[in-house]
Amino acid sequence: MGKNFSDQKKLIKHLKKGNTAAYTFLVDLYYDKLCDYARNLARDDFKSEDIVQNVIVRMWQQRKKLNSNISIKNYLFKSVYNEFVDQYRKDIAITALEKKYIEGLDSILEAQGDDNTELLISMVMKTIDQLPPKCKETFLLNKKEGLTYIEIAEFQNVSVNTVEKQMGKAIRIVREKLKDKIKTVLFLLLGLNTNKGNI
């Protein structure tokens, strides 16, 4: 069957028509090579496979837009690189303030003691209870139980990238829900002077 797709233009033609045999041929031919390439970029087995799967699936979903004159190999490798860059940018998108806020949440979940802390714990836990179920589970497994993203991924039987997205979503929701309280949280837990600049 592979011989029918050995010609690049024929392969792309069959892909555009939705020929699943052509898609299988493409995956068999390039999947491992693309994973190796992604692994060299991401230095992470879970993330590299997630990157390649995203690229392969997206290519199939958008197959009708494929240019018959392109090099499918170059197209795939370039797509893997672009996907890696996109994910990398998302990973470093958390600002310094967000990092301090996350540290503050860590402190709240671990803290014991005074009335102010108890009040903050109650406030944060109430907000966490309102998170979507998967976000809540992921957030608590990481922040309360101390599991790493890899351990959570194995526990939930999902990719590490999925865990990262759930954590990002949870943190955004908590931050938005508590936005009126952020100055108080940061002031009490991190010793920030809330009178200097805007938080």
Side-chain angles (χ1 to χ4, degrees):
M1 178 62 73
K3 291 181 179 179
N4 295 334
F5 307 126
S6 57
D7 179 85
Q8 176 117 319
K9 288 190 176 182
K10 286 184 179 179
L11 173 60
I12 295 175
K13 181 180 178 181
H14 283 285
L15 287 171
K16 292 177 74 169
K17 287 183 177 180
N19 187 330
T20 55
Y23 180 70
T24 301
F25 172 80
L26 187 75
V27 172
D28 289 343
L29 184 61
Y30 289 115
Y31 186 82
D32 288 341
K33 295 174 185 176
L34 292 171
C35 283
D36 288 341
Y37 176 58
R39 198 171 293 113
N40 286 331
L41 294 171
R43 304 293 180 184
D44 183 304
D45 288 345
F46 288 102
K47 187 168 289 187
S48 62
E49 289 200 31
D50 200 53
I51 287 171
V52 173
Q53 288 167 10
N54 287 345
V55 166
I56 294 286
V57 170
R58 190 181 304 118
M59 184 222 65
W60 179 248
Q61 291 172 337
Q62 301 176 357
R63 59 190 179 275
K64 291 182 180 179
K65 297 179 181 179
L66 285 173
N67 185 334
S68 299
N69 296 317
I70 64 168
S71 163
I72 195 72
K73 178 180 178 181
N74 290 346
Y75 170 82
L76 289 172
F77 274 85
K78 184 177 180 180
S79 296
V80 166
Y81 176 78
N82 289 338
E83 178 73 11
F84 162 73
V85 171
D86 287 345
Q87 290 198 14
Y88 177 76
R89 285 174 177 165
K90 289 176 184 176
D91 288 344
I92 64 173
I94 297 178
T95 64
L97 175 60
E98 287 174 322
K99 288 181 180 178
K100 287 183 178 180
Y101 184 62
I102 293 168
E103 291 168 2
L105 290 176
D106 288 344
S107 299
I108 290 172
L109 293 173
E110 294 172 0
Q112 300 288 334
D114 61 37
D115 292 340
N116 282 334
T117 301
E118 292 298 328
L119 180 63
L120 290 173
I121 291 173
S122 173
M123 181 174 65
V124 172
M125 291 306 298
K126 183 177 179 181
T127 303
I128 292 171
D129 282 339
Q130 296 172 355
L131 289 171
K134 188 58 69 173
C135 279
K136 178 182 175 182
E137 179 186 63
T138 302
F139 186 88
L140 291 177
L141 284 173
N142 178 252
K143 296 300 181 186
K144 197 168 185 181
E145 303 301 328
L147 271 63
T148 65
Y149 284 8
I150 292 177
E151 289 170 335
I152 295 171
E154 292 175 351
F155 176 76
Q156 295 181 334
N157 195 29
V158 296
S159 71
V160 175
N161 187 51
T162 297
V163 174
E164 291 173 345
K165 288 178 180 177
Q166 290 292 345
M167 281 298 297
K169 182 178 179 181
I171 290 167
R172 283 194 300 275
I173 292 173
V174 171
R175 191 174 67 248
E176 179 64 23
K177 293 280 188 182
L178 296 177
K179 62 183 178 181
D180 295 333
K181 311 290 185 182
I182 287 177
K183 289 186 179 182
T184 302
V185 172
L186 292 176
F187 179 77
L188 291 174
L189 293 175
L190 307 174
L192 297 181
N193 186 342
T194 57
N195 292 321
K196 293 183 179 180
N198 294 322
I199 294 180

